[in-house]
PDB file of all heavy atoms in Angstrom:
ATOM      1  N   LEU A   1     -15.871 -54.162  55.651  1.00  0.00           N
ATOM      2  CA  LEU A   1     -17.181 -54.670  55.576  1.00  0.00           C
ATOM      3  C   LEU A   1     -17.693 -55.467  56.791  1.00  0.00           C
ATOM      4  O   LEU A   1     -17.040 -55.350  57.823  1.00  0.00           O
ATOM      5  CB  LEU A   1     -17.295 -55.616  54.322  1.00  0.00           C
ATOM      6  CG  LEU A   1     -16.893 -54.937  53.000  1.00  0.00           C
ATOM      7  CD1 LEU A   1     -16.914 -55.984  51.827  1.00  0.00           C
ATOM      8  CD2 LEU A   1     -17.757 -53.763  52.797  1.00  0.00           C
ATOM      9  N   ALA A   2     -18.781 -56.206  56.618  1.00  0.00           N
ATOM     10  CA  ALA A   2     -19.411 -57.023  57.707  1.00  0.00           C
ATOM     11  C   ALA A   2     -19.823 -56.089  58.868  1.00  0.00           C
ATOM     12  O   ALA A   2     -20.274 -55.007  58.637  1.00  0.00           O
ATOM     13  CB  ALA A   2     -18.397 -58.064  58.141  1.00  0.00           C
ATOM     14  N   ASP A   3     -19.641 -56.584  60.158  1.00  0.00           N
ATOM     15  CA  ASP A   3     -19.954 -55.794  61.350  1.00  0.00           C
ATOM     16  C   ASP A   3     -18.677 -54.986  61.674  1.00  0.00           C
ATOM     17  O   ASP A   3     -17.710 -55.587  62.011  1.00  0.00           O
ATOM     18  CB  ASP A   3     -20.352 -56.650  62.540  1.00  0.00           C
ATOM     19  CG  ASP A   3     -21.732 -57.158  62.352  1.00  0.00           C
ATOM     20  OD1 ASP A   3     -22.652 -56.362  62.469  1.00  0.00           O
ATOM     21  OD2 ASP A   3     -21.903 -58.435  62.293  1.00  0.00           O
ATOM     22  N   GLY A   4     -18.767 -53.709  61.515  1.00  0.00           N
ATOM     23  CA  GLY A   4     -17.658 -52.850  61.869  1.00  0.00           C
ATOM     24  C   GLY A   4     -17.370 -52.928  63.396  1.00  0.00           C
ATOM     25  O   GLY A   4     -18.232 -52.718  64.225  1.00  0.00           O
ATOM     26  N   GLY A   5     -16.105 -53.236  63.739  1.00  0.00           N
ATOM     27  CA  GLY A   5     -15.765 -53.311  65.132  1.00  0.00           C
ATOM     28  C   GLY A   5     -15.505 -51.931  65.756  1.00  0.00           C
ATOM     29  O   GLY A   5     -15.795 -50.964  65.112  1.00  0.00           O
ATOM     30  N   LYS A   6     -15.076 -51.971  67.011  1.00  0.00           N
ATOM     31  CA  LYS A   6     -14.737 -50.743  67.643  1.00  0.00           C
ATOM     32  C   LYS A   6     -13.573 -50.006  66.840  1.00  0.00           C
ATOM     33  O   LYS A   6     -12.671 -50.620  66.375  1.00  0.00           O
ATOM     34  CB  LYS A   6     -14.264 -51.005  69.170  1.00  0.00           C
ATOM     35  CG  LYS A   6     -15.386 -51.496  70.040  1.00  0.00           C
ATOM     36  CD  LYS A   6     -16.431 -50.434  70.345  1.00  0.00           C
ATOM     37  CE  LYS A   6     -17.449 -50.856  71.327  1.00  0.00           C
ATOM     38  NZ  LYS A   6     -18.398 -49.807  71.698  1.00  0.00           N
ATOM     39  N   VAL A   7     -13.655 -48.651  66.847  1.00  0.00           N
ATOM     40  CA  VAL A   7     -12.648 -47.832  66.206  1.00  0.00           C
ATOM     41  C   VAL A   7     -11.986 -47.002  67.207  1.00  0.00           C
ATOM     42  O   VAL A   7     -12.451 -46.756  68.373  1.00  0.00           O
ATOM     43  CB  VAL A   7     -13.268 -46.904  65.107  1.00  0.00           C
ATOM     44  CG1 VAL A   7     -13.918 -47.805  63.992  1.00  0.00           C
ATOM     45  CG2 VAL A   7     -14.318 -46.014  65.728  1.00  0.00           C
ATOM     46  N   ALA A   8     -10.667 -46.545  66.901  1.00  0.00           N
ATOM     47  CA  ALA A   8      -9.971 -45.720  67.804  1.00  0.00           C
ATOM     48  C   ALA A   8      -8.961 -44.938  66.872  1.00  0.00           C
ATOM     49  O   ALA A   8      -8.543 -45.374  65.834  1.00  0.00           O
ATOM     50  CB  ALA A   8      -9.146 -46.560  68.765  1.00  0.00           C
ATOM     51  N   VAL A   9      -8.535 -43.767  67.395  1.00  0.00           N
ATOM     52  CA  VAL A   9      -7.579 -42.878  66.630  1.00  0.00           C
ATOM     53  C   VAL A   9      -6.594 -42.402  67.686  1.00  0.00           C
ATOM     54  O   VAL A   9      -6.783 -41.933  68.769  1.00  0.00           O
ATOM     55  CB  VAL A   9      -8.291 -41.631  66.057  1.00  0.00           C
ATOM     56  CG1 VAL A   9      -7.306 -40.730  65.497  1.00  0.00           C
ATOM     57  CG2 VAL A   9      -9.383 -42.095  65.060  1.00  0.00           C
ATOM     58  N   SER A  10      -5.272 -42.536  67.236  1.00  0.00           N
ATOM     59  CA  SER A  10      -4.123 -41.909  67.955  1.00  0.00           C
ATOM     60  C   SER A  10      -3.702 -40.688  67.203  1.00  0.00           C
ATOM     61  O   SER A  10      -3.197 -40.829  66.042  1.00  0.00           O
ATOM     62  CB  SER A  10      -2.985 -42.943  68.104  1.00  0.00           C
ATOM     63  OG  SER A  10      -1.891 -42.341  68.744  1.00  0.00           O
ATOM     64  N   ASP A  11      -3.949 -39.445  67.693  1.00  0.00           N
ATOM     65  CA  ASP A  11      -3.607 -38.270  67.024  1.00  0.00           C
ATOM     66  C   ASP A  11      -2.735 -37.332  67.807  1.00  0.00           C
ATOM     67  O   ASP A  11      -2.882 -36.097  67.789  1.00  0.00           O
ATOM     68  CB  ASP A  11      -4.874 -37.556  66.571  1.00  0.00           C
ATOM     69  CG  ASP A  11      -5.890 -37.412  67.675  1.00  0.00           C
ATOM     70  OD1 ASP A  11      -5.545 -37.574  68.876  1.00  0.00           O
ATOM     71  OD2 ASP A  11      -7.049 -37.011  67.361  1.00  0.00           O
ATOM     72  N   SER A  12      -1.988 -37.889  68.835  1.00  0.00           N
ATOM     73  CA  SER A  12      -1.191 -37.068  69.744  1.00  0.00           C
ATOM     74  C   SER A  12       0.008 -36.465  69.116  1.00  0.00           C
ATOM     75  O   SER A  12       0.571 -35.562  69.597  1.00  0.00           O
ATOM     76  CB  SER A  12      -0.824 -37.850  71.066  1.00  0.00           C
ATOM     77  OG  SER A  12      -0.077 -39.028  70.587  1.00  0.00           O
ATOM     78  N   THR A  13       0.400 -37.036  67.957  1.00  0.00           N
ATOM     79  CA  THR A  13       1.548 -36.500  67.141  1.00  0.00           C
ATOM     80  C   THR A  13       1.081 -35.598  66.080  1.00  0.00           C
ATOM     81  O   THR A  13       0.402 -36.068  65.190  1.00  0.00           O
ATOM     82  CB  THR A  13       2.442 -37.637  66.601  1.00  0.00           C
ATOM     83  OG1 THR A  13       2.830 -38.540  67.566  1.00  0.00           O
ATOM     84  CG2 THR A  13       3.591 -37.057  65.763  1.00  0.00           C
ATOM     85  N   PRO A  14       1.356 -34.343  66.157  1.00  0.00           N
ATOM     86  CA  PRO A  14       0.845 -33.347  65.103  1.00  0.00           C
ATOM     87  C   PRO A  14       1.246 -33.854  63.663  1.00  0.00           C
ATOM     88  O   PRO A  14       2.403 -34.206  63.493  1.00  0.00           O
ATOM     89  CB  PRO A  14       1.486 -32.011  65.471  1.00  0.00           C
ATOM     90  CG  PRO A  14       1.791 -32.145  66.952  1.00  0.00           C
ATOM     91  CD  PRO A  14       2.087 -33.582  67.150  1.00  0.00           C
ATOM     92  N   GLY A  15       0.281 -33.836  62.817  1.00  0.00           N
ATOM     93  CA  GLY A  15       0.567 -34.155  61.428  1.00  0.00           C
ATOM     94  C   GLY A  15       0.538 -35.610  61.070  1.00  0.00           C
ATOM     95  O   GLY A  15       0.461 -35.950  59.845  1.00  0.00           O
ATOM     96  N   THR A  16       0.538 -36.521  62.139  1.00  0.00           N
ATOM     97  CA  THR A  16       0.474 -37.921  61.814  1.00  0.00           C
ATOM     98  C   THR A  16      -0.633 -38.544  62.670  1.00  0.00           C
ATOM     99  O   THR A  16      -0.577 -38.464  63.922  1.00  0.00           O
ATOM    100  CB  THR A  16       1.831 -38.639  62.019  1.00  0.00           C
ATOM    101  OG1 THR A  16       2.801 -38.051  61.216  1.00  0.00           O
ATOM    102  CG2 THR A  16       1.741 -40.169  61.851  1.00  0.00           C
ATOM    103  N   SER A  17      -1.542 -39.269  62.036  1.00  0.00           N
ATOM    104  CA  SER A  17      -2.563 -39.983  62.824  1.00  0.00           C
ATOM    105  C   SER A  17      -2.641 -41.463  62.488  1.00  0.00           C
ATOM    106  O   SER A  17      -2.308 -41.756  61.335  1.00  0.00           O
ATOM    107  CB  SER A  17      -3.956 -39.305  62.459  1.00  0.00           C
ATOM    108  OG  SER A  17      -3.997 -38.005  62.957  1.00  0.00           O
ATOM    109  N   ILE A  18      -3.067 -42.168  63.531  1.00  0.00           N
ATOM    110  CA  ILE A  18      -3.197 -43.642  63.321  1.00  0.00           C
ATOM    111  C   ILE A  18      -4.544 -44.003  63.659  1.00  0.00           C
ATOM    112  O   ILE A  18      -5.069 -43.820  64.735  1.00  0.00           O
ATOM    113  CB  ILE A  18      -2.115 -44.380  64.140  1.00  0.00           C
ATOM    114  CG1 ILE A  18      -0.738 -43.942  63.916  1.00  0.00           C
ATOM    115  CG2 ILE A  18      -2.314 -45.924  63.863  1.00  0.00           C
ATOM    116  CD1 ILE A  18       0.191 -44.354  64.957  1.00  0.00           C
ATOM    117  N   ARG A  19      -5.300 -44.552  62.718  1.00  0.00           N
ATOM    118  CA  ARG A  19      -6.650 -44.991  62.877  1.00  0.00           C
ATOM    119  C   ARG A  19      -6.763 -46.532  62.906  1.00  0.00           C
ATOM    120  O   ARG A  19      -6.157 -47.150  62.044  1.00  0.00           O
ATOM    121  CB  ARG A  19      -7.526 -44.412  61.706  1.00  0.00           C
ATOM    122  CG  ARG A  19      -7.487 -42.851  61.616  1.00  0.00           C
ATOM    123  CD  ARG A  19      -8.200 -42.382  60.335  1.00  0.00           C
ATOM    124  NE  ARG A  19      -7.815 -41.034  60.101  1.00  0.00           N
ATOM    125  CZ  ARG A  19      -7.947 -40.431  58.892  1.00  0.00           C
ATOM    126  NH1 ARG A  19      -8.460 -41.124  57.933  1.00  0.00           N
ATOM    127  NH2 ARG A  19      -7.639 -39.134  58.772  1.00  0.00           N
ATOM    128  N   TYR A  20      -7.473 -47.046  63.778  1.00  0.00           N
ATOM    129  CA  TYR A  20      -7.676 -48.477  63.937  1.00  0.00           C
ATOM    130  C   TYR A  20      -9.210 -48.868  63.696  1.00  0.00           C
ATOM    131  O   TYR A  20      -9.986 -48.178  64.228  1.00  0.00           O
ATOM    132  CB  TYR A  20      -7.312 -48.938  65.296  1.00  0.00           C
ATOM    133  CG  TYR A  20      -5.825 -48.681  65.715  1.00  0.00           C
ATOM    134  CD1 TYR A  20      -5.453 -47.585  66.446  1.00  0.00           C
ATOM    135  CD2 TYR A  20      -4.887 -49.628  65.349  1.00  0.00           C
ATOM    136  CE1 TYR A  20      -4.156 -47.366  66.666  1.00  0.00           C
ATOM    137  CE2 TYR A  20      -3.528 -49.496  65.684  1.00  0.00           C
ATOM    138  CZ  TYR A  20      -3.184 -48.252  66.380  1.00  0.00           C
ATOM    139  OH  TYR A  20      -1.830 -48.031  66.750  1.00  0.00           O
ATOM    140  N   PHE A  21      -9.320 -49.910  62.918  1.00  0.00           N
ATOM    141  CA  PHE A  21     -10.674 -50.463  62.663  1.00  0.00           C
ATOM    142  C   PHE A  21     -10.592 -51.981  62.372  1.00  0.00           C
ATOM    143  O   PHE A  21      -9.480 -52.450  62.065  1.00  0.00           O
ATOM    144  CB  PHE A  21     -11.325 -49.671  61.569  1.00  0.00           C
ATOM    145  CG  PHE A  21     -10.557 -49.543  60.299  1.00  0.00           C
ATOM    146  CD1 PHE A  21     -10.718 -50.578  59.361  1.00  0.00           C
ATOM    147  CD2 PHE A  21      -9.737 -48.503  60.039  1.00  0.00           C
ATOM    148  CE1 PHE A  21      -9.962 -50.482  58.094  1.00  0.00           C
ATOM    149  CE2 PHE A  21      -9.041 -48.445  58.826  1.00  0.00           C
ATOM    150  CZ  PHE A  21      -9.189 -49.321  57.868  1.00  0.00           C
ATOM    151  N   SER A  22     -11.740 -52.579  62.328  1.00  0.00           N
ATOM    152  CA  SER A  22     -11.764 -54.071  62.073  1.00  0.00           C
ATOM    153  C   SER A  22     -13.167 -54.454  61.736  1.00  0.00           C
ATOM    154  O   SER A  22     -14.137 -53.679  61.822  1.00  0.00           O
ATOM    155  CB  SER A  22     -11.324 -54.845  63.315  1.00  0.00           C
ATOM    156  OG  SER A  22     -12.210 -54.704  64.388  1.00  0.00           O
ATOM    157  N   GLU A  23     -13.253 -55.804  61.491  1.00  0.00           N
ATOM    158  CA  GLU A  23     -14.635 -56.435  61.444  1.00  0.00           C
ATOM    159  C   GLU A  23     -14.907 -56.922  62.841  1.00  0.00           C
ATOM    160  O   GLU A  23     -14.102 -56.759  63.831  1.00  0.00           O
ATOM    161  CB  GLU A  23     -14.699 -57.513  60.433  1.00  0.00           C
ATOM    162  CG  GLU A  23     -14.449 -57.043  59.012  1.00  0.00           C
ATOM    163  CD  GLU A  23     -14.521 -58.181  58.026  1.00  0.00           C
ATOM    164  OE1 GLU A  23     -14.577 -59.301  58.362  1.00  0.00           O
ATOM    165  OE2 GLU A  23     -14.227 -57.909  56.788  1.00  0.00           O
ATOM    166  N   GLN A  24     -15.970 -57.686  63.007  1.00  0.00           N
ATOM    167  CA  GLN A  24     -16.345 -58.266  64.309  1.00  0.00           C
ATOM    168  C   GLN A  24     -15.216 -59.232  64.768  1.00  0.00           C
ATOM    169  O   GLN A  24     -14.419 -59.732  63.882  1.00  0.00           O
ATOM    170  CB  GLN A  24     -17.688 -58.965  64.235  1.00  0.00           C
ATOM    171  CG  GLN A  24     -17.705 -60.243  63.345  1.00  0.00           C
ATOM    172  CD  GLN A  24     -17.981 -59.985  61.994  1.00  0.00           C
ATOM    173  OE1 GLN A  24     -17.857 -58.828  61.520  1.00  0.00           O
ATOM    174  NE2 GLN A  24     -18.497 -61.004  61.280  1.00  0.00           N
ATOM    175  N   ASN A  25     -15.009 -59.394  66.129  1.00  0.00           N
ATOM    176  CA  ASN A  25     -14.023 -60.218  66.624  1.00  0.00           C
ATOM    177  C   ASN A  25     -12.600 -59.892  66.235  1.00  0.00           C
ATOM    178  O   ASN A  25     -11.740 -60.752  66.112  1.00  0.00           O
ATOM    179  CB  ASN A  25     -14.350 -61.783  66.302  1.00  0.00           C
ATOM    180  CG  ASN A  25     -15.665 -62.180  66.826  1.00  0.00           C
ATOM    181  OD1 ASN A  25     -15.945 -62.015  68.012  1.00  0.00           O
ATOM    182  ND2 ASN A  25     -16.438 -62.665  65.832  1.00  0.00           N
ATOM    183  N   LEU A  26     -12.316 -58.593  66.004  1.00  0.00           N
ATOM    184  CA  LEU A  26     -11.067 -58.107  65.591  1.00  0.00           C
ATOM    185  C   LEU A  26     -10.591 -58.673  64.198  1.00  0.00           C
ATOM    186  O   LEU A  26      -9.404 -58.728  63.846  1.00  0.00           O
ATOM    187  CB  LEU A  26      -9.939 -58.418  66.645  1.00  0.00           C
ATOM    188  CG  LEU A  26     -10.004 -57.490  67.862  1.00  0.00           C
ATOM    189  CD1 LEU A  26      -8.824 -57.870  68.764  1.00  0.00           C
ATOM    190  CD2 LEU A  26      -9.945 -56.050  67.513  1.00  0.00           C
ATOM    191  N   GLY A  27     -11.600 -59.092  63.446  1.00  0.00           N
ATOM    192  CA  GLY A  27     -11.255 -59.660  62.100  1.00  0.00           C
ATOM    193  C   GLY A  27     -10.694 -58.607  61.214  1.00  0.00           C
ATOM    194  O   GLY A  27     -11.230 -57.403  61.184  1.00  0.00           O
ATOM    195  N   LEU A  28      -9.632 -58.913  60.433  1.00  0.00           N
ATOM    196  CA  LEU A  28      -9.075 -57.966  59.556  1.00  0.00           C
ATOM    197  C   LEU A  28      -8.645 -56.657  60.197  1.00  0.00           C
ATOM    198  O   LEU A  28      -8.797 -55.611  59.656  1.00  0.00           O
ATOM    199  CB  LEU A  28      -9.954 -57.736  58.256  1.00  0.00           C
ATOM    200  CG  LEU A  28     -10.243 -58.970  57.437  1.00  0.00           C
ATOM    201  CD1 LEU A  28     -11.105 -58.540  56.296  1.00  0.00           C
ATOM    202  CD2 LEU A  28      -9.000 -59.550  56.933  1.00  0.00           C
ATOM    203  N   PHE A  29      -8.176 -56.756  61.366  1.00  0.00           N
ATOM    204  CA  PHE A  29      -7.707 -55.570  62.227  1.00  0.00           C
ATOM    205  C   PHE A  29      -6.727 -54.769  61.348  1.00  0.00           C
ATOM    206  O   PHE A  29      -5.694 -55.294  60.891  1.00  0.00           O
ATOM    207  CB  PHE A  29      -7.211 -56.012  63.584  1.00  0.00           C
ATOM    208  CG  PHE A  29      -6.884 -54.916  64.460  1.00  0.00           C
ATOM    209  CD1 PHE A  29      -7.913 -54.118  65.113  1.00  0.00           C
ATOM    210  CD2 PHE A  29      -5.576 -54.469  64.709  1.00  0.00           C
ATOM    211  CE1 PHE A  29      -7.539 -53.087  65.951  1.00  0.00           C
ATOM    212  CE2 PHE A  29      -5.193 -53.564  65.585  1.00  0.00           C
ATOM    213  CZ  PHE A  29      -6.177 -52.795  66.182  1.00  0.00           C
ATOM    214  N   THR A  30      -6.983 -53.453  61.250  1.00  0.00           N
ATOM    215  CA  THR A  30      -6.126 -52.598  60.405  1.00  0.00           C
ATOM    216  C   THR A  30      -5.681 -51.397  61.138  1.00  0.00           C
ATOM    217  O   THR A  30      -6.404 -50.754  61.917  1.00  0.00           O
ATOM    218  CB  THR A  30      -7.029 -52.132  59.177  1.00  0.00           C
ATOM    219  OG1 THR A  30      -7.461 -53.241  58.482  1.00  0.00           O
ATOM    220  CG2 THR A  30      -6.247 -51.247  58.222  1.00  0.00           C
ATOM    221  N   ARG A  31      -4.386 -51.118  60.851  1.00  0.00           N
ATOM    222  CA  ARG A  31      -3.708 -49.820  61.382  1.00  0.00           C
ATOM    223  C   ARG A  31      -3.549 -48.959  60.123  1.00  0.00           C
ATOM    224  O   ARG A  31      -2.744 -49.288  59.284  1.00  0.00           O
ATOM    225  CB  ARG A  31      -2.444 -50.253  62.043  1.00  0.00           C
ATOM    226  CG  ARG A  31      -1.623 -49.027  62.574  1.00  0.00           C
ATOM    227  CD  ARG A  31      -0.362 -49.497  63.203  1.00  0.00           C
ATOM    228  NE  ARG A  31       0.521 -50.159  62.298  1.00  0.00           N
ATOM    229  CZ  ARG A  31       1.244 -51.203  62.534  1.00  0.00           C
ATOM    230  NH1 ARG A  31       1.111 -51.813  63.743  1.00  0.00           N
ATOM    231  NH2 ARG A  31       2.064 -51.763  61.695  1.00  0.00           N
ATOM    232  N   ARG A  32      -4.287 -47.866  60.086  1.00  0.00           N
ATOM    233  CA  ARG A  32      -4.107 -46.957  59.003  1.00  0.00           C
ATOM    234  C   ARG A  32      -3.300 -45.689  59.428  1.00  0.00           C
ATOM    235  O   ARG A  32      -3.758 -44.995  60.404  1.00  0.00           O
ATOM    236  CB  ARG A  32      -5.523 -46.512  58.528  1.00  0.00           C
ATOM    237  CG  ARG A  32      -5.421 -45.366  57.549  1.00  0.00           C
ATOM    238  CD  ARG A  32      -6.844 -45.180  56.849  1.00  0.00           C
ATOM    239  NE  ARG A  32      -7.018 -46.232  55.865  1.00  0.00           N
ATOM    240  CZ  ARG A  32      -7.992 -46.202  54.931  1.00  0.00           C
ATOM    241  NH1 ARG A  32      -8.907 -45.173  54.959  1.00  0.00           N
ATOM    242  NH2 ARG A  32      -8.130 -47.102  54.092  1.00  0.00           N
ATOM    243  N   THR A  33      -2.190 -45.456  58.869  1.00  0.00           N
ATOM    244  CA  THR A  33      -1.372 -44.330  59.225  1.00  0.00           C
ATOM    245  C   THR A  33      -1.522 -43.240  58.160  1.00  0.00           C
ATOM    246  O   THR A  33      -1.337 -43.556  56.930  1.00  0.00           O
ATOM    247  CB  THR A  33       0.110 -44.753  59.335  1.00  0.00           C
ATOM    248  OG1 THR A  33       0.262 -45.726  60.301  1.00  0.00           O
ATOM    249  CG2 THR A  33       0.986 -43.546  59.758  1.00  0.00           C
ATOM    250  N   CYS A  34      -1.853 -42.036  58.574  1.00  0.00           N
ATOM    251  CA  CYS A  34      -2.171 -40.993  57.747  1.00  0.00           C
ATOM    252  C   CYS A  34      -1.289 -39.716  57.922  1.00  0.00           C
ATOM    253  O   CYS A  34      -1.148 -39.378  59.110  1.00  0.00           O
ATOM    254  CB  CYS A  34      -3.609 -40.407  57.830  1.00  0.00           C
ATOM    255  SG  CYS A  34      -4.882 -41.778  57.506  1.00  0.00           S
ATOM    256  N   ASN A  35      -0.652 -39.178  56.874  1.00  0.00           N
ATOM    257  CA  ASN A  35       0.299 -38.052  57.042  1.00  0.00           C
ATOM    258  C   ASN A  35       0.561 -37.314  55.746  1.00  0.00           C
ATOM    259  O   ASN A  35       1.725 -37.270  55.252  1.00  0.00           O
ATOM    260  CB  ASN A  35       1.647 -38.696  57.535  1.00  0.00           C
ATOM    261  CG  ASN A  35       2.665 -37.549  57.874  1.00  0.00           C
ATOM    262  OD1 ASN A  35       2.314 -36.421  58.089  1.00  0.00           O
ATOM    263  ND2 ASN A  35       3.846 -37.938  57.823  1.00  0.00           N
ATOM    264  N   PRO A  36      -0.349 -36.713  55.083  1.00  0.00           N
ATOM    265  CA  PRO A  36      -1.808 -36.855  55.227  1.00  0.00           C
ATOM    266  C   PRO A  36      -2.354 -38.063  54.518  1.00  0.00           C
ATOM    267  O   PRO A  36      -3.434 -38.588  54.684  1.00  0.00           O
ATOM    268  CB  PRO A  36      -2.333 -35.606  54.693  1.00  0.00           C
ATOM    269  CG  PRO A  36      -1.412 -35.136  53.692  1.00  0.00           C
ATOM    270  CD  PRO A  36      -0.051 -35.500  54.160  1.00  0.00           C
ATOM    271  N   GLY A  37      -1.551 -38.505  53.389  1.00  0.00           N
ATOM    272  CA  GLY A  37      -1.950 -39.725  52.733  1.00  0.00           C
ATOM    273  C   GLY A  37      -1.945 -40.939  53.604  1.00  0.00           C
ATOM    274  O   GLY A  37      -1.183 -40.950  54.575  1.00  0.00           O
TER     275      GLY A  37
END
C-alpha cells in the first residue's frame, strides 16, 4: 500500500524469479520468490 517504491525483478535463473517492492523510503521492503508459487 501507500506510495509504491521502485520495483525490480531478478529472473536470470530459469524457473525462479525474485521480485522486489516496497513502500516509500524502502518501507516494508519485500523479497518475493516465485517458482512458480
Side-chain angles (χ1 to χ4, degrees):
L1 301 177
D3 282 294
K6 293 289 185 177
V7 296
V9 175
S10 176
D11 52 14
S12 57
T13 301
T16 300
S17 296
I18 305 165
R19 304 170 192 162
Y20 296 94
F21 53 87
S22 68
E23 297 179 358
Q24 68 272 22
N25 301 307
L26 287 181
L28 298 178
F29 185 72
T30 301
R31 177 179 66 223
R32 169 169 287 191
T33 303
C34 301
N35 183 23

